[in-house]
Amino acid sequence: MNSSASASSLPVDRNWSLVAAGAVLGCVGIGVLFALAVLLQPMSSDTGWSRAGLSSAMTLAFVSGGFAGFGWGMLSDRYGPRVCVLAGSVLLGLACVLASRADSLLEFQLSYGLLLGVAVASFFAPVIAATASSFERHRNLAISLVSAGVGVAPMTMSPLVAWLVTQHDWRSTLLIVGVLAWALTLPVVWFVRAAPAPAASAEDIATRGSQSLTAGQALRSKPFIVLALAYFACCAAHSGPIFHTVSYAVGCGLSVTAAVTIYSMEGAAGLGGRLLFGVLADRLGAKPVLVAGLLVQALAAAAYLGASQLTGFYVVAIVFGLAYGGTMPLYASLAREAFSPRILGTVLGAASLLSSMGMALGPLLGGWLYDRFGTYTWLYIGSMSVGLAAAAIALLFPSARKPLVGGGRQPVLQT
């Protein structure tokens, strides 16, 4: 097999319409999900439902989305990503419409928590897997651009929901958001298509053994176990600070209005981090950039303890946002290095399941630690410790090297 034949089997970096569609889907999906943070106070005042009960819908969305992401990933491997995204788009608007008509807290939790979590999950594993399979040279940048939609959500959807709720009650706002979700996501479904999978040569199979694994074998392999554990620890490390830093800042004497801008600063920095880390990973490799990002994330989490004024919070928020935003897309790139596009949806879906558990764990443990000790100190120390553990786990991921294979250069996982 000569080098030209090997090169022809690689995906061509032309599926940028998929990248744009994925960014829109991520922005709308996460924007709708986190609209609950904006609607929490007016909903509680109007219905008398407890804030804890309303907030539990978010936890339920993370849990249901985690399990659903695994299912969506398997379905995308079998039927393609477009079918999954179409179903998720329909469910997204439906969840908002049903939630706007909920007459009890349980009805709201099931529609906004359970159903919405299932819907939003369809926008990630299938789309990210299709993107990772469609790009070679600029894979990390492409995945990061898809993920950038998540970073745009706090700067677009959240202000829109905040404005809507000043003009309408929360029920009308949710209804409008649901219709808007349909209007924005259904048209872009057309652009969600994966590139044709390249045919694997005999040399590819011989030199990249994990590429020929079945889905079951892949989920029991060392690369997946390391990837999933690092992903879980990463999300557990940053989810607590993301959720509780506004309350911590208020406790330091900042106004609520000023404290909320810290969250916005994190989101904006996360957007830049996705782009920066994507470019660096294409040049240096995903693994070293991921490990470095995890170390920065861990130290930045602890640095919140040294902030007391708004300027200090902003500085830490920028570093923290860059780190957690930049690291998140790199797990998909590592998965693509290790596994075939045939099973990539399943692999990413399973990894996302564990990451969702990490996202759900951070806010819960942070609240428990505050209730137990009356301070957020142990939350940030714990986040730093878990973040350092994530970096150590990521170091165990098999390194990629590029030896000559049949006259060409192919990426090979070196264990």
Side-chain angles (χ1 to χ4, degrees), residues 273-343:
R274 286 171 169 85
L275 303 180
L276 175 63
F277 280 43
V279 172
L280 290 175
D282 281 332
R283 292 179 177 271
L284 306 176
K287 178 180 174 179
V289 175
L290 173 63
V291 172
L294 290 173
L295 289 173
V296 172
Q297 174 185 269
L299 297 177
Y304 270 121
L305 292 173
S308 58
Q309 302 297 320
L310 185 59
T311 301
F313 276 104
Y314 279 168
V315 171
V316 179
I318 290 172
V319 177
F320 186 66
L322 278 170
Y324 84 71
T327 56
M328 293 300 282
L330 300 181
Y331 297 99
S333 182
L334 288 176
R336 177 61 188 93
E337 289 179 6
F339 302 106
S340 165
R342 295 182 299 104
I343 60 171

Short mmCIF file of all heavy atoms in Angstrom, two decimals, residues 273-343:
data_model
loop_
_atom_site.label_atom_id
_atom_site.label_comp_id
_atom_site.label_asym_id
_atom_site.label_seq_id
_atom_site.Cartn_x
_atom_site.Cartn_y
_atom_site.Cartn_z
N GLY A 273 -11.63 29.54 24.92
CA GLY A 273 -10.83 28.36 25.24
C GLY A 273 -11.05 27.22 24.27
O GLY A 273 -10.10 26.51 23.91
N ARG A 274 -12.29 27.03 23.85
CA ARG A 274 -12.57 25.97 22.88
C ARG A 274 -11.79 26.18 21.58
O ARG A 274 -11.21 25.24 21.02
CB ARG A 274 -14.07 25.91 22.59
CG ARG A 274 -14.89 25.29 23.72
CD ARG A 274 -16.38 25.45 23.47
NE ARG A 274 -17.16 24.64 24.39
CZ ARG A 274 -17.52 25.03 25.60
NH1 ARG A 274 -17.16 26.23 26.04
NH2 ARG A 274 -18.24 24.23 26.39
N LEU A 275 -11.76 27.41 21.10
CA LEU A 275 -11.06 27.72 19.86
C LEU A 275 -9.54 27.61 20.06
O LEU A 275 -8.84 27.03 19.23
CB LEU A 275 -11.44 29.11 19.38
CG LEU A 275 -12.94 29.35 19.15
CD1 LEU A 275 -13.19 30.78 18.67
CD2 LEU A 275 -13.49 28.34 18.13
N LEU A 276 -9.03 28.18 21.15
CA LEU A 276 -7.60 28.15 21.41
C LEU A 276 -7.09 26.73 21.59
O LEU A 276 -6.09 26.33 20.97
CB LEU A 276 -7.29 28.98 22.66
CG LEU A 276 -5.83 28.95 23.15
CD1 LEU A 276 -4.91 29.54 22.10
CD2 LEU A 276 -5.69 29.70 24.47
N PHE A 277 -7.76 25.95 22.42
CA PHE A 277 -7.31 24.58 22.67
C PHE A 277 -7.46 23.72 21.41
O PHE A 277 -6.66 22.81 21.19
CB PHE A 277 -8.10 23.96 23.82
CG PHE A 277 -7.62 24.37 25.19
CD1 PHE A 277 -7.30 25.70 25.46
CD2 PHE A 277 -7.51 23.45 26.20
CE1 PHE A 277 -6.86 26.09 26.72
CE2 PHE A 277 -7.07 23.82 27.47
CZ PHE A 277 -6.74 25.15 27.72
N GLY A 278 -8.47 24.00 20.59
CA GLY A 278 -8.64 23.25 19.36
C GLY A 278 -7.48 23.45 18.41
O GLY A 278 -6.94 22.50 17.83
N VAL A 279 -7.05 24.71 18.26
CA VAL A 279 -5.91 25.00 17.38
C VAL A 279 -4.63 24.39 17.95
O VAL A 279 -3.83 23.78 17.22
CB VAL A 279 -5.75 26.53 17.23
CG1 VAL A 279 -4.46 26.87 16.49
CG2 VAL A 279 -6.96 27.11 16.48
N LEU A 280 -4.42 24.52 19.26
CA LEU A 280 -3.22 23.95 19.88
C LEU A 280 -3.19 22.44 19.75
O LEU A 280 -2.13 21.84 19.50
CB LEU A 280 -3.15 24.35 21.35
CG LEU A 280 -2.85 25.82 21.65
CD1 LEU A 280 -2.93 26.08 23.15
CD2 LEU A 280 -1.48 26.21 21.12
N ALA A 281 -4.35 21.80 19.92
CA ALA A 281 -4.39 20.34 19.85
C ALA A 281 -4.10 19.84 18.43
O ALA A 281 -3.49 18.78 18.25
CB ALA A 281 -5.75 19.83 20.31
N ASP A 282 -4.53 20.58 17.41
CA ASP A 282 -4.19 20.20 16.04
C ASP A 282 -2.69 20.29 15.79
O ASP A 282 -2.14 19.56 14.96
CB ASP A 282 -4.93 21.10 15.04
CG ASP A 282 -6.38 20.69 14.84
OD1 ASP A 282 -6.69 19.49 15.02
OD2 ASP A 282 -7.22 21.56 14.52
N ARG A 283 -2.00 21.17 16.51
CA ARG A 283 -0.56 21.34 16.32
C ARG A 283 0.25 20.44 17.23
O ARG A 283 1.27 19.88 16.82
CB ARG A 283 -0.16 22.80 16.57
CG ARG A 283 -0.71 23.77 15.53
CD ARG A 283 -0.30 25.20 15.88
NE ARG A 283 -0.75 26.13 14.85
CZ ARG A 283 -0.05 26.45 13.77
NH1 ARG A 283 1.14 25.91 13.57
NH2 ARG A 283 -0.52 27.31 12.89
N LEU A 284 -0.19 20.30 18.49
CA LEU A 284 0.61 19.60 19.49
C LEU A 284 0.09 18.22 19.86
O LEU A 284 0.81 17.44 20.50
CB LEU A 284 0.69 20.45 20.77
CG LEU A 284 1.19 21.89 20.60
CD1 LEU A 284 1.11 22.64 21.92
CD2 LEU A 284 2.61 21.90 20.07
N GLY A 285 -1.14 17.93 19.48
CA GLY A 285 -1.77 16.68 19.88
C GLY A 285 -2.78 16.91 20.99
O GLY A 285 -2.59 17.79 21.85
N ALA A 286 -3.85 16.13 20.98
CA ALA A 286 -4.94 16.35 21.94
C ALA A 286 -4.54 16.00 23.36
O ALA A 286 -4.92 16.69 24.31
CB ALA A 286 -6.17 15.53 21.52
N LYS A 287 -3.75 14.93 23.53
CA LYS A 287 -3.44 14.47 24.89
C LYS A 287 -2.64 15.49 25.70
O LYS A 287 -3.05 15.83 26.83
CB LYS A 287 -2.70 13.13 24.84
CG LYS A 287 -2.30 12.61 26.22
CD LYS A 287 -1.57 11.29 26.14
CE LYS A 287 -1.05 10.85 27.51
NZ LYS A 287 -0.35 9.55 27.44
N PRO A 288 -1.51 16.01 25.22
CA PRO A 288 -0.77 16.97 26.05
C PRO A 288 -1.56 18.25 26.33
O PRO A 288 -1.45 18.82 27.42
CB PRO A 288 0.50 17.26 25.24
CG PRO A 288 0.18 16.83 23.85
CD PRO A 288 -0.79 15.70 23.98
N VAL A 289 -2.34 18.70 25.37
CA VAL A 289 -3.14 19.91 25.59
C VAL A 289 -4.23 19.64 26.63
O VAL A 289 -4.51 20.48 27.49
CB VAL A 289 -3.76 20.39 24.26
CG1 VAL A 289 -4.69 21.58 24.50
CG2 VAL A 289 -2.65 20.78 23.28
N LEU A 290 -4.84 18.45 26.58
CA LEU A 290 -5.85 18.09 27.57
C LEU A 290 -5.26 18.05 28.97
O LEU A 290 -5.83 18.62 29.91
CB LEU A 290 -6.47 16.73 27.22
CG LEU A 290 -7.44 16.15 28.26
CD1 LEU A 290 -8.66 17.05 28.42
CD2 LEU A 290 -7.87 14.74 27.88
N VAL A 291 -4.13 17.39 29.13
CA VAL A 291 -3.50 17.28 30.45
C VAL A 291 -3.16 18.67 31.00
O VAL A 291 -3.43 18.98 32.17
CB VAL A 291 -2.25 16.39 30.39
CG1 VAL A 291 -1.49 16.43 31.72
CG2 VAL A 291 -2.63 14.95 30.05
N ALA A 292 -2.58 19.51 30.15
CA ALA A 292 -2.24 20.87 30.59
C ALA A 292 -3.50 21.65 30.97
O ALA A 292 -3.51 22.35 31.99
CB ALA A 292 -1.48 21.60 29.47
N GLY A 293 -4.56 21.51 30.19
CA GLY A 293 -5.81 22.20 30.49
C GLY A 293 -6.42 21.74 31.81
O GLY A 293 -6.95 22.56 32.57
N LEU A 294 -6.35 20.46 32.07
CA LEU A 294 -6.89 19.92 33.32
C LEU A 294 -6.12 20.44 34.53
O LEU A 294 -6.70 20.72 35.59
CB LEU A 294 -6.87 18.39 33.30
CG LEU A 294 -7.86 17.73 32.34
CD1 LEU A 294 -7.62 16.23 32.26
CD2 LEU A 294 -9.30 18.02 32.75
N LEU A 295 -4.80 20.57 34.39
CA LEU A 295 -4.00 21.12 35.48
C LEU A 295 -4.37 22.58 35.75
O LEU A 295 -4.52 22.99 36.91
CB LEU A 295 -2.51 21.01 35.13
CG LEU A 295 -1.91 19.60 35.17
CD1 LEU A 295 -0.48 19.61 34.64
CD2 LEU A 295 -1.95 19.02 36.58
N VAL A 296 -4.53 23.36 34.68
CA VAL A 296 -4.91 24.76 34.84
C VAL A 296 -6.29 24.86 35.47
O VAL A 296 -6.54 25.70 36.36
CB VAL A 296 -4.88 25.48 33.48
CG1 VAL A 296 -5.45 26.89 33.60
CG2 VAL A 296 -3.46 25.53 32.93
N GLN A 297 -7.22 24.02 35.03
CA GLN A 297 -8.57 24.03 35.58
C GLN A 297 -8.55 23.76 37.08
O GLN A 297 -9.24 24.43 37.86
CB GLN A 297 -9.42 22.97 34.88
CG GLN A 297 -10.81 22.80 35.50
CD GLN A 297 -11.59 21.65 34.87
OE1 GLN A 297 -12.32 21.85 33.92
NE2 GLN A 297 -11.42 20.45 35.40
N ALA A 298 -7.76 22.77 37.50
CA ALA A 298 -7.70 22.42 38.92
C ALA A 298 -7.17 23.57 39.76
O ALA A 298 -7.73 23.90 40.81
CB ALA A 298 -6.83 21.17 39.09
N LEU A 299 -6.09 24.19 39.30
CA LEU A 299 -5.50 25.29 40.07
C LEU A 299 -6.40 26.52 40.07
O LEU A 299 -6.49 27.24 41.07
CB LEU A 299 -4.13 25.63 39.48
CG LEU A 299 -3.08 24.51 39.56
CD1 LEU A 299 -1.79 24.93 38.88
CD2 LEU A 299 -2.81 24.13 41.02
N ALA A 300 -7.09 26.76 38.94
CA ALA A 300 -7.99 27.91 38.88
C ALA A 300 -9.18 27.74 39.81
O ALA A 300 -9.67 28.72 40.40
CB ALA A 300 -8.47 28.11 37.44
N ALA A 301 -9.66 26.50 39.97
CA ALA A 301 -10.78 26.27 40.90
C ALA A 301 -10.40 26.69 42.31
O ALA A 301 -11.17 27.36 43.01
CB ALA A 301 -11.18 24.79 40.86
N ALA A 302 -9.20 26.30 42.73
CA ALA A 302 -8.75 26.68 44.08
C ALA A 302 -8.49 28.18 44.18
O ALA A 302 -8.62 28.77 45.26
CB ALA A 302 -7.49 25.90 44.44
N ALA A 303 -8.14 28.81 43.05
CA ALA A 303 -7.83 30.25 43.07
C ALA A 303 -9.04 31.09 43.41
O ALA A 303 -8.88 32.26 43.84
CB ALA A 303 -7.26 30.67 41.71
N TYR A 304 -10.25 30.57 43.25
CA TYR A 304 -11.44 31.33 43.63
C TYR A 304 -11.41 31.69 45.12
O TYR A 304 -12.00 32.68 45.55
CB TYR A 304 -12.70 30.52 43.33
CG TYR A 304 -13.25 30.76 41.94
CD1 TYR A 304 -13.40 29.71 41.03
CD2 TYR A 304 -13.63 32.02 41.52
CE1 TYR A 304 -13.90 29.92 39.75
CE2 TYR A 304 -14.14 32.26 40.26
CZ TYR A 304 -14.27 31.21 39.38
OH TYR A 304 -14.77 31.43 38.13
N LEU A 305 -10.73 30.86 45.93
CA LEU A 305 -10.66 31.14 47.36
C LEU A 305 -9.88 32.42 47.65
O LEU A 305 -10.04 33.02 48.73
CB LEU A 305 -10.03 29.95 48.10
CG LEU A 305 -10.86 28.67 48.12
CD1 LEU A 305 -10.07 27.53 48.73
CD2 LEU A 305 -12.16 28.89 48.90
N GLY A 306 -9.02 32.83 46.73
CA GLY A 306 -8.25 34.05 46.93
C GLY A 306 -8.93 35.29 46.39
O GLY A 306 -8.41 36.40 46.55
N ALA A 307 -10.09 35.14 45.76
CA ALA A 307 -10.81 36.28 45.19
C ALA A 307 -11.81 36.82 46.21
O ALA A 307 -12.50 36.05 46.88
CB ALA A 307 -11.54 35.87 43.91
N SER A 308 -11.89 38.14 46.28
CA SER A 308 -12.87 38.77 47.17
C SER A 308 -13.55 39.96 46.51
O SER A 308 -14.65 40.33 46.89
CB SER A 308 -12.20 39.21 48.48
OG SER A 308 -11.14 40.10 48.21
N GLN A 309 -12.87 40.57 45.54
CA GLN A 309 -13.43 41.69 44.79
C GLN A 309 -13.80 41.23 43.38
O GLN A 309 -13.31 40.20 42.90
CB GLN A 309 -12.41 42.84 44.71
CG GLN A 309 -11.96 43.34 46.06
CD GLN A 309 -13.09 43.92 46.89
OE1 GLN A 309 -13.96 44.62 46.35
NE2 GLN A 309 -13.09 43.66 48.20
N LEU A 310 -14.65 42.01 42.70
CA LEU A 310 -15.14 41.62 41.40
C LEU A 310 -14.00 41.43 40.39
O LEU A 310 -14.01 40.47 39.60
CB LEU A 310 -16.12 42.65 40.88
CG LEU A 310 -16.83 42.32 39.56
CD1 LEU A 310 -17.62 41.02 39.68
CD2 LEU A 310 -17.75 43.47 39.15
N THR A 311 -12.99 42.30 40.44
CA THR A 311 -11.87 42.18 39.50
C THR A 311 -11.15 40.86 39.68
O THR A 311 -10.80 40.19 38.70
CB THR A 311 -10.87 43.34 39.70
OG1 THR A 311 -11.54 44.59 39.49
CG2 THR A 311 -9.72 43.22 38.72
N GLY A 312 -10.92 40.46 40.92
CA GLY A 312 -10.28 39.18 41.19
C GLY A 312 -11.10 38.01 40.69
O GLY A 312 -10.56 37.05 40.12
N PHE A 313 -12.40 38.08 40.89
CA PHE A 313 -13.28 37.03 40.38
C PHE A 313 -13.21 36.95 38.85
O PHE A 313 -13.21 35.86 38.28
CB PHE A 313 -14.71 37.26 40.84
CG PHE A 313 -15.02 36.74 42.21
CD1 PHE A 313 -15.13 37.61 43.29
CD2 PHE A 313 -15.19 35.38 42.43
CE1 PHE A 313 -15.42 37.13 44.56
CE2 PHE A 313 -15.46 34.88 43.69
CZ PHE A 313 -15.58 35.76 44.77
N TYR A 314 -13.17 38.10 38.20
CA TYR A 314 -13.10 38.12 36.74
C TYR A 314 -11.82 37.44 36.24
O TYR A 314 -11.84 36.67 35.28
CB TYR A 314 -13.15 39.55 36.22
CG TYR A 314 -14.54 40.15 36.14
CD1 TYR A 314 -14.71 41.51 35.93
CD2 TYR A 314 -15.67 39.36 36.26
CE1 TYR A 314 -15.97 42.08 35.84
CE2 TYR A 314 -16.94 39.91 36.18
CZ TYR A 314 -17.09 41.27 35.98
OH TYR A 314 -18.35 41.81 35.89
N VAL A 315 -10.70 37.74 36.89
CA VAL A 315 -9.42 37.16 36.47
C VAL A 315 -9.47 35.64 36.58
O VAL A 315 -9.09 34.91 35.65
CB VAL A 315 -8.26 37.73 37.32
CG1 VAL A 315 -6.97 36.96 37.02
CG2 VAL A 315 -8.08 39.21 37.03
N VAL A 316 -9.95 35.15 37.71
CA VAL A 316 -10.03 33.70 37.90
C VAL A 316 -11.04 33.09 36.94
O VAL A 316 -10.81 32.02 36.37
CB VAL A 316 -10.40 33.37 39.36
CG1 VAL A 316 -10.51 31.85 39.54
CG2 VAL A 316 -9.36 33.92 40.32
N ALA A 317 -12.17 33.78 36.74
CA ALA A 317 -13.20 33.26 35.85
C ALA A 317 -12.69 33.11 34.42
O ALA A 317 -13.03 32.14 33.73
CB ALA A 317 -14.43 34.17 35.87
N ILE A 318 -11.87 34.04 33.97
CA ILE A 318 -11.31 33.95 32.62
C ILE A 318 -10.42 32.73 32.48
O ILE A 318 -10.52 31.96 31.52
CB ILE A 318 -10.54 35.24 32.28
CG1 ILE A 318 -11.52 36.41 32.11
CG2 ILE A 318 -9.71 35.06 31.01
CD1 ILE A 318 -10.84 37.76 31.97
N VAL A 319 -9.53 32.52 33.46
CA VAL A 319 -8.62 31.37 33.41
C VAL A 319 -9.40 30.07 33.54
O VAL A 319 -9.19 29.10 32.79
CB VAL A 319 -7.55 31.48 34.51
CG1 VAL A 319 -6.65 30.24 34.51
CG2 VAL A 319 -6.72 32.74 34.32
N PHE A 320 -10.32 30.04 34.50
CA PHE A 320 -11.12 28.84 34.74
C PHE A 320 -11.98 28.51 33.51
O PHE A 320 -12.06 27.36 33.08
CB PHE A 320 -11.99 29.05 35.96
CG PHE A 320 -12.77 27.84 36.40
CD1 PHE A 320 -12.13 26.72 36.89
CD2 PHE A 320 -14.16 27.82 36.35
CE1 PHE A 320 -12.85 25.60 37.30
CE2 PHE A 320 -14.89 26.72 36.76
CZ PHE A 320 -14.23 25.60 37.24
N GLY A 321 -12.61 29.54 32.94
CA GLY A 321 -13.45 29.32 31.76
C GLY A 321 -12.64 28.85 30.57
O GLY A 321 -13.08 27.94 29.84
N LEU A 322 -11.48 29.46 30.34
CA LEU A 322 -10.62 29.00 29.25
C LEU A 322 -10.29 27.52 29.40
O LEU A 322 -10.32 26.76 28.42
CB LEU A 322 -9.31 29.81 29.25
CG LEU A 322 -9.33 31.19 28.58
CD1 LEU A 322 -8.04 31.93 28.90
CD2 LEU A 322 -9.49 31.04 27.07
N ALA A 323 -9.97 27.11 30.63
CA ALA A 323 -9.53 25.74 30.86
C ALA A 323 -10.67 24.73 30.69
O ALA A 323 -10.54 23.76 29.94
CB ALA A 323 -8.92 25.62 32.25
N TYR A 324 -11.79 24.96 31.37
CA TYR A 324 -12.84 23.95 31.28
C TYR A 324 -13.51 23.97 29.91
O TYR A 324 -13.92 22.92 29.39
CB TYR A 324 -13.85 24.06 32.43
CG TYR A 324 -14.97 25.05 32.28
CD1 TYR A 324 -16.02 24.84 31.39
CD2 TYR A 324 -15.05 26.18 33.09
CE1 TYR A 324 -17.07 25.73 31.27
CE2 TYR A 324 -16.09 27.07 32.99
CZ TYR A 324 -17.10 26.85 32.08
OH TYR A 324 -18.14 27.73 31.98
N GLY A 325 -13.62 25.15 29.30
CA GLY A 325 -14.19 25.20 27.96
C GLY A 325 -13.29 24.55 26.94
O GLY A 325 -13.74 23.85 26.03
N GLY A 326 -11.98 24.76 27.08
CA GLY A 326 -11.04 24.22 26.11
C GLY A 326 -10.85 22.73 26.19
O GLY A 326 -10.62 22.06 25.17
N THR A 327 -10.94 22.17 27.39
CA THR A 327 -10.69 20.72 27.53
C THR A 327 -11.86 19.87 27.04
O THR A 327 -11.64 18.76 26.54
CB THR A 327 -10.40 20.36 29.00
OG1 THR A 327 -11.50 20.81 29.82
CG2 THR A 327 -9.11 21.01 29.48
N MET A 328 -13.07 20.36 27.15
CA MET A 328 -14.24 19.52 26.89
C MET A 328 -14.27 18.89 25.49
O MET A 328 -14.60 17.71 25.34
CB MET A 328 -15.53 20.31 27.15
CG MET A 328 -15.74 20.68 28.61
SD MET A 328 -15.85 19.23 29.69
CE MET A 328 -17.54 18.73 29.33
N PRO A 329 -13.94 19.61 24.41
CA PRO A 329 -14.02 18.99 23.09
C PRO A 329 -12.92 17.96 22.83
O PRO A 329 -13.03 17.16 21.89
CB PRO A 329 -13.87 20.17 22.12
CG PRO A 329 -14.11 21.39 22.94
CD PRO A 329 -13.65 21.05 24.31
N LEU A 330 -11.85 17.97 23.63
CA LEU A 330 -10.69 17.14 23.32
C LEU A 330 -10.93 15.65 23.57
O LEU A 330 -10.23 14.80 23.01
CB LEU A 330 -9.48 17.61 24.12
CG LEU A 330 -9.05 19.06 23.87
CD1 LEU A 330 -7.82 19.41 24.69
CD2 LEU A 330 -8.78 19.29 22.39
N TYR A 331 -11.90 15.33 24.41
CA TYR A 331 -12.19 13.91 24.67
C TYR A 331 -12.68 13.22 23.40
O TYR A 331 -12.36 12.06 23.14
CB TYR A 331 -13.22 13.78 25.79
CG TYR A 331 -12.74 14.33 27.11
CD1 TYR A 331 -13.09 15.60 27.54
CD2 TYR A 331 -11.89 13.58 27.92
CE1 TYR A 331 -12.63 16.12 28.74
CE2 TYR A 331 -11.42 14.08 29.13
CZ TYR A 331 -11.79 15.35 29.52
OH TYR A 331 -11.31 15.85 30.72
N ALA A 332 -13.46 13.93 22.60
CA ALA A 332 -13.96 13.35 21.35
C ALA A 332 -12.81 13.09 20.38
O ALA A 332 -12.79 12.08 19.67
CB ALA A 332 -14.99 14.27 20.70
N SER A 333 -11.84 14.00 20.35
CA SER A 333 -10.69 13.80 19.47
C SER A 333 -9.87 12.59 19.91
O SER A 333 -9.43 11.79 19.07
CB SER A 333 -9.82 15.05 19.48
OG SER A 333 -8.72 14.90 18.61
N LEU A 334 -9.66 12.43 21.20
CA LEU A 334 -8.94 11.26 21.69
C LEU A 334 -9.69 9.97 21.37
O LEU A 334 -9.08 8.95 21.01
CB LEU A 334 -8.72 11.38 23.21
CG LEU A 334 -7.68 12.40 23.67
CD1 LEU A 334 -7.65 12.46 25.19
CD2 LEU A 334 -6.31 12.06 23.12
N ALA A 335 -11.01 10.03 21.50
CA ALA A 335 -11.81 8.84 21.17
C ALA A 335 -11.66 8.47 19.70
O ALA A 335 -11.56 7.29 19.34
CB ALA A 335 -13.28 9.09 21.51
N ARG A 336 -11.62 9.49 18.83
CA ARG A 336 -11.46 9.21 17.40
C ARG A 336 -10.09 8.63 17.10
O ARG A 336 -9.93 7.81 16.18
CB ARG A 336 -11.70 10.49 16.59
CG ARG A 336 -11.49 10.32 15.09
CD ARG A 336 -12.44 9.28 14.50
NE ARG A 336 -12.09 8.99 13.12
CZ ARG A 336 -11.29 8.01 12.72
NH1 ARG A 336 -10.72 7.22 13.63
NH2 ARG A 336 -11.04 7.83 11.45
N GLU A 337 -9.06 9.03 17.85
CA GLU A 337 -7.74 8.46 17.66
C GLU A 337 -7.71 6.97 18.00
O GLU A 337 -6.95 6.21 17.42
CB GLU A 337 -6.71 9.19 18.53
CG GLU A 337 -6.39 10.61 18.09
CD GLU A 337 -5.38 11.28 19.01
OE1 GLU A 337 -4.87 10.58 19.93
OE2 GLU A 337 -5.11 12.47 18.83
N ALA A 338 -8.56 6.58 18.93
CA ALA A 338 -8.51 5.21 19.43
C ALA A 338 -9.52 4.28 18.79
O ALA A 338 -9.28 3.06 18.74
CB ALA A 338 -8.72 5.21 20.96
N PHE A 339 -10.64 4.80 18.29
CA PHE A 339 -11.72 3.91 17.87
C PHE A 339 -12.22 4.25 16.47
O PHE A 339 -12.12 5.39 16.01
CB PHE A 339 -12.88 3.99 18.87
CG PHE A 339 -12.48 3.64 20.28
CD1 PHE A 339 -12.35 4.63 21.24
CD2 PHE A 339 -12.19 2.34 20.62
CE1 PHE A 339 -11.96 4.33 22.53
CE2 PHE A 339 -11.79 2.01 21.92
CZ PHE A 339 -11.68 3.01 22.87
N SER A 340 -12.79 3.26 15.84
CA SER A 340 -13.30 3.39 14.48
C SER A 340 -14.54 4.29 14.44
O SER A 340 -15.33 4.30 15.38
CB SER A 340 -13.64 2.01 13.93
OG SER A 340 -14.44 2.11 12.77
N PRO A 341 -14.74 5.01 13.33
CA PRO A 341 -15.98 5.78 13.17
C PRO A 341 -17.23 4.92 13.25
O PRO A 341 -18.31 5.43 13.56
CB PRO A 341 -15.83 6.40 11.77
CG PRO A 341 -14.36 6.46 11.53
CD PRO A 341 -13.80 5.25 12.22
N ARG A 342 -17.11 3.62 12.99
CA ARG A 342 -18.27 2.71 13.03
C ARG A 342 -18.94 2.70 14.40
O ARG A 342 -20.16 2.51 14.50
CB ARG A 342 -17.85 1.28 12.69
CG ARG A 342 -17.35 1.03 11.30
CD ARG A 342 -17.02 -0.45 11.12
NE ARG A 342 -15.97 -0.89 12.04
CZ ARG A 342 -16.17 -1.61 13.13
NH1 ARG A 342 -17.41 -1.96 13.48
NH2 ARG A 342 -15.16 -1.99 13.90
N ILE A 343 -18.13 2.84 15.45
CA ILE A 343 -18.66 2.71 16.81
C ILE A 343 -18.45 3.99 17.62
O ILE A 343 -18.66 3.99 18.83
CB ILE A 343 -17.98 1.53 17.55
CG1 ILE A 343 -16.46 1.74 17.61
CG2 ILE A 343 -18.33 0.21 16.86
CD1 ILE A 343 -15.75 0.74 18.51
#
